[in-house]
Amino acid sequence: MADEIPLFPKATSMYIHTGNIINWNRLKRKLNQTSTEEVCDVIGTTLTNYLASMDKTELQYVTQLYRVNTENVEVFADGEREEVKVTVKMFVCASQSSDVIAEAVEKVLSELRTTYVETLLLAVSPPSDEEESEQSAVNMEVIKQYWEAMELLVGQNKVLSLGICDLNKECLEELYKWAKVKPSVDQVNLESCCVMPKDLTDYAKATSIQLLTHNDKPVFIPKERLQETIQQVSTVRDSEAWTPHWVLRYSGILKCRGIIKMKGYIFHALRDHKKKLM
């Protein structure tokens, strides 16, 4: 869309729940998508549907873009929950309070109408250039703050087990020794590590930590990619100054058959109007 009058000039917050994208026939044809391409695709489609449903005059005054694809949200039928294993991966995309962990998990529990998920995985994006940090690697103090929030959810029986992403042996050992609720999973990105390091596999075996692989990018949604996605369905001015804050991806697998029953994204972004005006 051309850069015309902005559609939602006052919006500073965006909340999107895609619903079960397994049911999206259009996505089934895109077999070679990366996870970043997939999430941007469903954000763009959901935002398009939201804009089409809204009155254009009302949009001029909206401060939060809120859309749940209710027709695609799949909830558990009576007696079905025990047949499905639900795994949630929480991508923390920007520096923020650890309260975001409970906020995101509560949203997925509410949307799926369940009281718990089997596994919660944590993935924290490396610091951006704008953040005052000289450390490009994992900041364990940041990890520990989020981990404590995750442990509270285990204590409330809302999460049964915890996992972490992309920790090497030294960091995994530090987390394991410090944590009250020990990590049961370490997801490793094989793009940066074609073969699992022996020290990591040995330590994981000794502590009964399951090593899994993934192909998610360290920066799951670059802000430039998000802004490009928004621009494609609105205007240039509408796309400015948006930053992803967190993404929650959930999947439900039928235990008896190993088939993916559901997969969806819950996404939150914020917009800094001060940066927009610079």
Side-chain angles (χ1 to χ4, degrees):
M1 187 177 292
D3 182 20
E4 302 167 347
I5 297 173
L7 303 180
F8 40 88
K10 297 183 182 298
T12 57
S13 175
M14 181 186 301
Y15 172 81
I16 283 174
H17 179 196
T18 65
N20 184 7
I21 66 173
I22 300 296
N23 295 332
W24 289 28
N25 292 328
R26 188 171 62 86
L27 285 171
K28 290 180 181 179
R29 298 193 296 268
K30 298 186 178 182
L31 301 177
N32 296 320
Q33 277 188 320
T34 67
S35 54
T36 297
E37 290 170 341
E38 179 181 74
V39 70
C40 288
D41 190 3
V42 296
I43 288 171
T45 299
T46 305
L47 186 56
T48 297
N49 294 339
Y50 169 80
L51 295 176
S53 70
M54 292 291 290
D55 177 80
K56 288 182 171 56
T57 301
E58 183 180 347
L59 269 175
Q60 292 290 312
Y61 302 95
V62 164
T63 57
Q64 181 185 55
L65 307 176
Y66 182 93
R67 173 74 179 191
V68 177
N69 280 334
T70 53
E71 67 276 12
N72 289 322
V73 175
E74 189 163 341
V75 299
F76 293 105
D78 292 341
E80 185 183 36
R81 179 63 182 89
E82 297 301 318
E83 301 174 1
V84 181
K85 177 183 179 181
V86 178
T87 298
V88 168
K89 187 168 182 177
M90 175 71 179
F91 298 88
V92 180
C93 304
S95 178
Q96 56 197 292
S97 167
S98 60
D99 293 343
V100 69
I101 301 293
E103 174 190 346
V105 171
E106 290 290 353
K107 285 188 181 299
V108 76
L109 294 179
S110 174
E111 297 287 359
L112 299 183
R113 298 181 191 173
T114 183
T115 58
Y116 69 96
V117 298
E118 277 77 358
T119 304
L120 172 61
L121 302 170
L122 174 67
V124 179
S125 294
S128 69
D129 293 337
E130 297 177 0
E131 293 173 341
E132 295 181 2
S133 175
E134 298 178 355
Q135 183 179 5
S136 60
V138 174
N139 184 328
M140 288 306 297
E141 293 308 309
V142 172
I143 293 288
K144 289 176 182 178
Q145 292 175 17
Y146 293 127
W147 197 265
E148 287 180 325
M150 294 163 67
E151 289 179 326
L152 290 176
L153 294 172
V154 174
Q156 296 166 0
N157 296 318
K158 294 177 180 179
V159 175
L160 304 187
S161 64
L162 303 180
I164 191 66
C165 298
D166 300 316
L167 292 192
N168 60 25
K169 186 264 181 182
E170 289 74 19
C171 292
L172 183 60
E173 183 175 9
E174 179 180 343
L175 177 63
Y176 186 88
K177 290 181 176 178
W178 168 86
K180 295 177 182 177
V181 179
K182 308 299 182 185
S184 62
V185 173
D186 183 15
Q187 272 197 344
V188 179
N189 190 329
L190 286 186
E191 283 191 4
S192 59
C193 172
C194 296
V195 179
M196 293 278 190
K198 188 175 185 305
D199 62 345
L200 179 61
T201 58
D202 288 346
Y203 185 76
K205 183 177 180 180
T207 52
S208 299
I209 296 175
Q210 185 179 14
L211 292 180
L212 302 175
T213 61
H214 72 90
N215 59 2
D216 299 315
K217 300 293 184 183
V219 179
F220 190 49
I221 306 181
K223 65 179 181 180
E224 296 81 8
R225 185 62 184 274
L226 173 63
Q227 291 170 10
E228 177 186 336
T229 299
I230 296 171
Q231 181 182 334
Q232 288 172 349
V233 302
S234 57
T235 73
V236 172
R237 291 167 65 185
D238 284 312
S239 70
E240 294 172 345
W242 286 99
T243 301
H245 268 235
W246 56 262
V247 184
L248 186 150
R249 182 176 66 210
Y250 62 87
S251 60
I253 298 178
L254 292 172
K255 296 177 182 178
C256 61
R257 301 168 62 188
I259 296 175
I260 299 178
K261 173 181 172 58
M262 62 174 64
K263 178 184 180 182
Y265 292 93
I266 300 177
F267 168 75
H268 182 54
L270 293 176
R271 187 189 211 180
D272 188 341
H273 273 295
K274 294 180 180 178
K275 291 184 178 180
K276 182 181 175 183
L277 296 173
M278 290 178 63

